Amino acid sequence: MPGTKISQRIRTLKLAHDCAGLGARIRTIHHLTGLRPRELLYLLFNAHAQPPCGRAPNSREWYHNANLLQRIEASIVIANFRRMRLLGFPAAEALVGAYRYYQSIYRPPPRISFDRAFDLAAHTEGLWIAKLASFRLASCTRCGSEFLDALAGADTM
């Protein structure tokens, strides 16, 4: 089919642009798109718009010290991410969609950054930066609500 490579490239660049707009670090965008960090820096940022920097989130460490509101909001992001995955959305697009939904229901500033959402999704599905899942969505036995939970025996570091 003519144009498939260019169409794929356009989708990848759009995904990178969307991630940057949601506050993603270069490292996160690189993992989601496969684009080289130098290329991302060149395409998405300039002297007036610098990329976010600092230490990337480690959700396996963070989760055990997170407060109730952070855990609730993390659960909302990941529950919607999983729903979109079950509907057949590719992981990166599902993450962007789930995070946009999260932003639409909570006032700024968000308790869960896009980078944190990426890290949680990665460690829930064993994707991108995680070889194995260390989180899961569990369901309340009373009401059926889904919540994020650490897997028993999962490595915490």
Side-chain angles (χ1 to χ4, degrees):
M1 170 188 255
T4 56
K5 285 186 181 183
I6 196 164
S7 297
Q8 180 59 39
R9 177 72 172 174
I10 290 169
R11 278 193 300 276
T12 300
L13 291 172
K14 170 82 168 91
L15 176 62
H17 185 260
D18 290 347
C19 291
L22 293 171
R25 288 177 168 81
I26 294 283
R27 171 189 173 270
T28 301
I29 301 169
H30 163 69
H31 285 296
L32 290 171
T33 65
L35 296 173
R36 295 183 322 271
R38 262 192 198 260
E39 182 179 14
L40 292 168
L41 193 58
Y42 172 76
L43 292 171
L44 299 170
F45 302 98
N46 58 42
H48 303 293
Q50 292 290 314
C53 51
R55 185 174 168 225
N58 180 341
S59 297
R60 294 173 299 163
E61 183 180 292
W62 166 85
Y63 180 77
H64 300 289
N65 296 314
N67 65 38
L68 181 60
L69 290 174
Q70 291 169 323
R71 287 184 182 208
I72 289 168
E73 291 183 25
S75 296
I76 289 168
V77 172
I78 298 306
N80 284 301
F81 169 73
R82 287 294 305 140
R83 281 187 194 100
M84 291 181 75
R85 292 286 287 145
L86 292 171
L87 290 171
F89 286 87
E93 286 81 0
L95 179 60
V96 168
Y99 194 76
R100 280 191 175 137
Y101 176 74
Y102 162 68
Q103 283 188 320
S104 77
I105 60 173
Y106 286 99
R107 290 187 321 200
R111 286 183 181 86
I112 307 299
S113 68
F114 186 81
D115 289 300
R116 169 82 58 214
F118 164 78
D119 195 70
L120 288 165
H123 286 97
T124 300
E125 286 207 359
L127 294 171
W128 304 304
I129 57 170
K131 294 192 184 342
L132 299 171
S134 52
F135 291 104
R136 69 183 178 105
L137 276 178
S139 295
C140 174
T141 55
R142 282 188 177 163
C143 68
S145 294
E146 294 176 308
F147 61 93
L148 194 60
D149 192 22
L151 285 172
D155 183 13
T156 59
M157 294 310 264

